[in-house]
Amino acid sequence: MAEHDTRAANQAQTARAAPWQPVNATIGYWKSVSRLWEISWTRSGGEQAIAAAQRIRFDGLVRFARSRSPVYRDAYRGLPERPLAANELPIVTKPALMAHFDDWVTDPQVTLAGVTAFMADRQHIGQRYLGRYVIWKSSGSTGEPGIFVQDEDALATFDALMVAHLDRLRLATRFPLDLLTRGGRAALVAATGEHFASIASWERVCQSSPWISARGFSIMEPLRQLVAELNDYQPVFLASYPTMLSLLADEKRAGRLRIEPLRLWSGGERLAPEAGVAIEDAFGCPLSNEYGASECMSIAFGCAAGWLHVNADWVLLEPVDRDYRPTPPGEASHTVLLTNLANRVQPIIRYDLGDSITVKPGPCACGSPLPAIQVEGRRDDVLSLRAPDGRFIRLLPLALTTIVEEAAHVHRFQIVQTAADRLSLRLDPGADRGMVWHAAARALRDYLTRQSLANVHVELDKQGPIADRASGKLKEVIAMERSVGQG
Ligand SMILES: [Zn+2]
């Protein structure tokens, strides 16, 4: 496993074979290998060793942020210089950090203007910012756009965490041997990669393993076309969002998708346990579930007992209530505070991530020493719309939201299905509402036409977006209450 240095996150869509670059791979490779040793060593020491590693890394990160990040220096001003417990430190939020981006990062060469210009130039796809950083952009569950910079150490750590997870699986399956004998094709079905940081790690893992070839497929493609392409490609490994895997599982059950993968991988969205079981049943192979975010690519991995295990040696998660008081195990939190112990260029310390998690009281049946959680993330609906020939075509919520975000540069909106062939767009009032509506509607109609749904009406709702009363979160894509049929 090695890291390569020419791929950025937003590359998942490009088809390619994996070139093996021994010279370029060397430094990243050894970084990852040593990280992997460190992870194995720490975890073999059990809960206490993991807690000790977390403590040491937390102190180191806080010291570093205090000395190198003006934002944290100001936030921690007046606090004692001794090692501090997490709950002694103030909480940070994405809007506040993004507003002071240049003072948040610890490398003065990294600037918001520089990063924005870098991302705007499509020529830079696949390259690293300043030759050393990978950039991820995300809107996340709060709707505010964020830009996240990852350094070499963070990437090596995330890659090693994934390999550590795969090694556990390898003991239980014939996965690597079958990969070799069946051509080792991996299919990654994703949005533009910047929405889905984890896909980038798969790309790196695949690229550095010369016996695996990886190919990206876009979620924007009509489902029928995607199915045909996957049938041609015959992947032994398939990675995507849980909603997309559910759609593909239905295609597999219907006999249209004719692939026999050995391993499935889901990330980027919350995977409901029932959905996970249904996907595994349809494909007849195990599904690995990863919980991650742009702020911290690999927060936890799923286990056979149905829980997610936090990579607690590299991540600190604090479940809290509305007033940021700790939520006890067994209770769903209002939000969770994230500390990413692997990345120093843009410190994430007690950051309000917005997800609701429940910590499992007591040990997990699978025997993992890592803390077990469940995540209640944002859940958007898959839409099922009627085509002119009466067929129902299903659309992925992430595809719809990506189209609106990219065309209209808007981050707070709602797409509501109001009839079998009717969508309504809810936008906030404001001076540019007309322009936003115009751009979003045109992009949505283009997309619907490509999906053989040119007959679907798109209209502007009189009201603005309405947040969920219980959670306060905004569901961006809402299906009709009654099921309108299956594709
Ligand atoms: Zn477990």
Side-chain angles (χ1 to χ4, degrees):
M1 215 290 318
E3 186 187 302
H4 61 88
D5 56 357
T6 54
R7 299 261 156 193
N10 41 358
Q11 260 224 307
Q13 288 182 49
T14 359
R16 56 153 186 80
W20 174 234
Q21 299 171 306
V23 177
N24 289 352
T26 308
I27 294 171
Y29 175 77
W30 287 111
K31 213 168 237 180
S32 265
V33 167
S34 68
R35 241 337 102 78
L36 190 57
W37 270 101
E38 227 175 316
I39 291 166
S40 309
W41 181 252
T42 304
R43 292 181 180 183
S44 70
E47 265 176 70
Q48 277 189 322
I50 293 164
Q54 185 186 69
R55 183 71 247 172
I56 289 167
R57 286 177 188 142
F58 185 83
D59 288 343
L61 177 66
V62 168
R63 258 200 322 275
F64 187 82
R66 279 185 107 161
S67 70
R68 302 282 190 88
S69 162
V71 160
Y72 284 103
R73 189 182 306 138
D74 285 355
Y76 297 169
R77 200 181 295 280
L79 293 176
E81 289 296 328
R82 62 175 166 77
L84 296 160
N87 62 13
E88 291 180 89
L89 300 172
I91 285 144
V92 296
T93 63
K94 181 156 67 180
L97 291 171
M98 280 304 296
H100 301 97
F101 185 91
D102 293 0
D103 287 333
W104 172 14
V105 293
T106 58
D107 178 346
Q109 285 189 289
V110 176
T111 62
L112 184 58
V115 170
T116 309
F118 178 82
M119 286 195 302
D121 187 345
R122 305 300 289 177
Q123 295 228 310
H124 287 143
I125 289 178
Q127 293 176 11
R128 289 196 175 179
Y129 174 61
L130 301 178
R132 56 188 183 275
Y133 298 121
V134 167
I135 312 286
W136 296 327
K137 200 173 117 190
S138 105
S139 60
S141 57
T142 57
E144 299 274 346
I147 291 170
F148 301 96
V149 187
Q150 314 291 317
D151 61 27
E152 289 276 357
D153 274 359
L155 295 171
T157 305
F158 293 138
D159 288 355
L161 285 169
M162 187 170 278
V163 172
H165 176 65
L166 286 176
D167 272 356
R168 281 176 66 100
L169 301 172
R170 185 146 61 191
L171 297 174
T173 63
R174 296 178 356 98
F175 182 56
L177 185 63
D178 284 330
L179 259 180
L180 278 170
T181 53
R182 290 179 46 186
R185 291 192 180 135
L188 318 171
V189 186
T192 48
E194 54 197 27
H195 281 82
F196 195 13
S198 301
I199 280 289
S201 190
W202 267 117
E203 281 237 305
R204 283 194 306 276
V205 170
C206 292
Q207 173 149 11
S208 58
S209 313
W211 58 88
I212 301 177
S213 68
R215 186 174 154 190
F217 298 84
S218 170
I219 58 160
M220 299 298 170
E221 285 181 60
L223 190 59
R224 267 209 290 200
Q225 192 183 323
L226 177 63
V227 165
E229 286 177 11
L230 288 171
N231 284 340
D232 274 352
Y233 186 62
Q234 287 297 315
V236 290
F237 177 83
L238 175 63
S240 194
Y241 316 92
T243 42
M244 178 49 100
L245 290 174
S246 290
L247 286 187
L248 292 174
D250 290 345
E251 294 297 301
K252 169 82 175 156
R253 262 185 236 105
R256 291 184 289 266
L257 181 63
R258 293 179 295 276
I259 60 171
E260 303 292 337
L262 299 165
R263 165 78 43 189
L264 305 165
W265 181 86
S266 99
E269 294 171 342
R270 172 184 176 269
L271 174 74
E274 323 79 73
V277 170
I279 292 166
E280 285 185 331
D281 280 354
F283 285 99
C285 75
L287 169 69
S288 298
N289 176 25
E290 185 181 31
Y291 168 48
S294 304
E295 291 85 345
C296 180
M297 207 183 69
S298 196
I299 297 174
F301 285 107
C303 78
W307 289 85
L308 286 161
H309 287 280
V310 180
N311 294 313
D313 37 358
W314 291 100
V315 179
L316 173 63
L317 281 189
E318 300 170 76
V320 290
D321 67 13
R322 227 171 261 272
D323 302 314
Y324 294 128
R325 288 175 308 213
T327 308
E331 282 177 32
S333 70
H334 175 71
T335 181
V336 64
L337 305 178
L338 167 75
T339 303
N340 177 345
L341 300 169
N343 191 30
R344 288 198 166 183
V345 64
Q346 188 182 27
I348 302 271
I349 305 171
R350 303 200 86 211
Y351 171 101
D352 185 346
L353 191 61
D355 287 346
S356 165
I357 72 164
T358 305
V359 176
K360 185 182 193 309
C364 184
C366 77
S368 168
L370 299 167
I373 60 165
Q374 263 167 7
V375 182
E376 190 72 39
R378 182 176 63 178
R379 270 179 297 174
D380 288 318
D381 297 337
V382 170
L383 299 187
S384 187
L385 290 163
R386 195 173 56 213
D389 61 4
R391 258 184 325 136
F392 278 89
I393 292 177
R394 291 190 296 160
L395 303 180
L396 202 65
L398 190 70
L400 291 160
T401 55
T402 303
I403 278 159
V404 172
E405 281 177 18
E406 288 186 355
H409 307 288
V410 64
H411 298 282
R412 229 185 93 83
F413 60 88
Q414 243 168 356
I415 300 166
V416 186
Q417 183 179 7
T418 52
D421 58 357
R422 203 168 277 272
L423 295 180
S424 175
L425 185 63
R426 291 178 182 163
L427 296 170
D428 278 322
D432 60 348
R433 190 166 187 250
M435 257 165 56
V436 168
W437 159 242
H438 216 73
R442 192 166 63 185
L444 277 173
R445 286 182 189 126
D446 284 353
Y447 173 70
L448 290 165
T449 302
R450 289 200 302 278
Q451 312 290 321
S452 316
L453 287 167
N455 59 307
V456 171
H457 298 274
V458 182
E459 54 207 6
L460 179 61
D461 208 313
K462 284 192 193 71
Q463 56 188 342
I466 302 165
D468 179 72
R469 220 162 284 171
S471 69
K473 283 177 186 161
L474 192 70
K475 197 168 165 178
E476 288 182 321
V477 179
I478 303 172
M480 289 214 317
E481 293 225 326
R482 262 177 345 109
S483 167
V484 291
Q486 298 293 307

